[in-house]
Amino acid sequence: MELTRRPRRLRVNKAVRDLVHETDVHVNDLIYPIFVVEGENVKTEIPSMPGIFHYSLDQLEIHLKEVYETGVRAIIFFGVPDHKDEVGSGAYDDNGIVQKALRLTKSLYPDMLCIADICLCEYTSHGHCGLIKGDKILNDPTLELLAKAALSCAKAGADIVAPSDMMDGRIGRMREVLDENGMQDTLIMSYSVKYASAYYGPFRDAADSAPAFGDRRSYQMDWRNKKDALVETELDVMEGADILMVKPALAYLDMVKTIADEFPLPLCTYSVSGEYSMMKAAALQGWINEKAVVMESMTAMKRAGAKMIITYYALDVARWLKEEQ
Ligand code: PBG
Ligand code: ZN
């Protein structure tokens, strides 16, 4: 048969495939989420997320060594406080659990890039991401508390603050407060495009942050839409965000591509708890090849345009990448 074009030539053997391949996942792309709790000697596995734990600070210290040894150099902290109240004061307490974890981490591993997730939902008794009045989630008064939380975490050592609340105007207010207090070098990674997703289910068990009434649909985005994402992202860029995010990842790769193409800032995607739990559950059943499925998924996120990925699989991916070398 006379075929001028034989695309299969580019796949003829591993050497050729490796030469022409376009997309890689690198250890530098990975951000590993860590849940920290008060107390001592706590290392409790999250039932819906096998392999992911709550750590008290003494256990965190042990875990950080493991993290460091994999080569992962970026982590994002989530706090699960003992005490919750109406106004989420744990989020902006200089002695809050995340603030303490940041100070500890920076004292042990100064070159570990520390990101602090900034939100109120883990700290409020009602589980919403903002202040409430009746059944309304208030926007503007919440901004002051978020900015306070960001400043408190920045002062405790966070290199990056990452607001995940989806209130309007949070990036601008946060930038202003950080700058007024001499924290010009603290980056803001905005959860710019964050959908009201059922994929956050396992995280809410882990962080004990499910809303006590209603849902998050009056602030997180409607997943039937994509135009919204352009408005949200444009506002974040204008208000001073340094890094953008699309969340969740796998079901939203169209949005990853759109935001990567349309905006000239680095883009992160968050492969959320539900994505981890689905892959992990199937893997534990022996129904999928875990490493192959996870690496394929991570590469797809990069191919869609994400520069970096927040994933509960970060340590495994880093180890798998080392094995390949
Ligand atoms: C807090 C926050 C959530 C996640 C990250 N930050 C939960 C939510 O918005 O309900 C989800 C992360 C995950 O599912 O892994 N606002
Ligand atoms: Zn929240």
Side-chain angles (χ1 to χ4, degrees), residues 84-93 119-120 122-126 131 145:
K84 303 192 189 228
D85 58 30
E86 281 272 300
V87 294
S89 31
Y92 39 90
D93 174 353
C119 200
L120 298 188
E122 295 110 294
Y123 304 92
T124 48
S125 42
H126 46 76
L131 291 171
L145 302 185

Side-chain angles (χ1 to χ4, degrees), residues 256-275:
V256 172
K257 174 159 168 52
T258 300
I259 302 302
D261 288 348
E262 300 292 324
F263 295 92
L265 284 177
L267 178 62
C268 179
T269 191
Y270 194 148
S271 184
V272 299
S273 55
E275 298 176 46

Side-chain angles (χ1 to χ4, degrees), residues 73-313:
R73 289 291 180 275
I75 54 183
I76 179 164
F77 281 118
F78 294 95
V80 188
D82 276 350
H83 164 81
K84 303 192 189 228
D85 58 30
E86 281 272 300
V87 294
S89 31
Y92 39 90
D93 174 353
D94 291 342
N95 250 326
I97 183 63
V98 166
Q99 286 83 347
K100 288 190 282 193
L102 287 164
R103 283 194 289 268
L104 175 71
T105 306
K106 279 295 177 184
S107 74
L108 297 170
Y109 302 98
D111 63 332
M112 183 66 89
L113 188 95
C114 290
I115 307 175
D117 180 90
I118 304 294
C119 200
L120 298 188
C121 56
E122 295 110 294
Y123 304 92
T124 48
S125 42
H126 46 76
H128 276 291
C129 303
L131 291 171
I132 57 169
K133 189 170 184 190
D135 59 359
K136 280 226 155 43
I137 291 52
L138 304 176
N139 195 87
D140 299 11
T142 301
L143 301 186
E144 297 311 313
L145 302 185
L146 292 167
K148 232 167 117 171
L151 179 62
S152 173
C153 288
K155 285 191 163 159
D159 302 283
I160 303 182
V161 290
S164 64
D165 52 281
M166 292 305 277
M167 299 299 128
D168 295 334
R170 71 235 165 99
I171 304 300
R173 186 64 192 127
M174 208 165 274
R175 188 71 268 164
E176 222 165 63
V177 169
L178 287 170
D179 289 356
E180 280 164 12
N181 287 275
M183 307 307 284
Q184 284 87 352
D185 289 341
T186 305
L187 286 87
I188 300 179
M189 172 194 272
S190 176
Y191 285 69
S192 325
V193 178
K194 176 171 177 177
Y195 285 94
S197 171
Y199 283 93
Y200 310 151
F203 175 97
R204 290 180 191 166
D205 297 340
D208 184 27
S209 65
F213 63 88
D215 52 45
R216 301 210 202 289
R217 279 185 267 193
S218 75
Y219 41 109
Q220 298 179 353
M221 291 167 48
D222 186 330
W223 34 257
R224 296 172 295 187
N225 298 343
K226 67 189 294 184
K227 287 181 180 171
D228 240 14
L230 299 175
V231 175
E232 286 285 0
T233 311
E234 194 166 333
L235 285 170
D236 287 355
V237 173
M238 287 185 330
E239 290 174 33
D242 301 286
I243 300 173
L244 307 171
M245 194 196 297
V246 170
K247 173 188 178 196
L250 275 185
Y252 294 84
L253 293 185
D254 57 332
M255 300 316 300
V256 172
K257 174 159 168 52
T258 300
I259 302 302
D261 288 348
E262 300 292 324
F263 295 92
L265 284 177
L267 178 62
C268 179
T269 191
Y270 194 148
S271 184
V272 299
S273 55
E275 298 176 46
Y276 175 83
S277 298
M278 290 194 303
M279 290 191 272
K280 184 57 88 180
L284 288 172
Q285 292 285 334
W287 291 340
I288 57 169
N289 175 337
E290 185 175 36
K291 175 180 167 181
V293 167
V294 171
M295 290 310 293
E296 182 179 331
S297 305
M298 297 294 144
T299 307
M301 294 168 206
K302 294 283 314 274
R303 192 186 61 230
K307 169 56 193 77
M308 59 200 105
I309 305 168
I310 303 177
T311 170
Y312 301 93
Y313 269 118

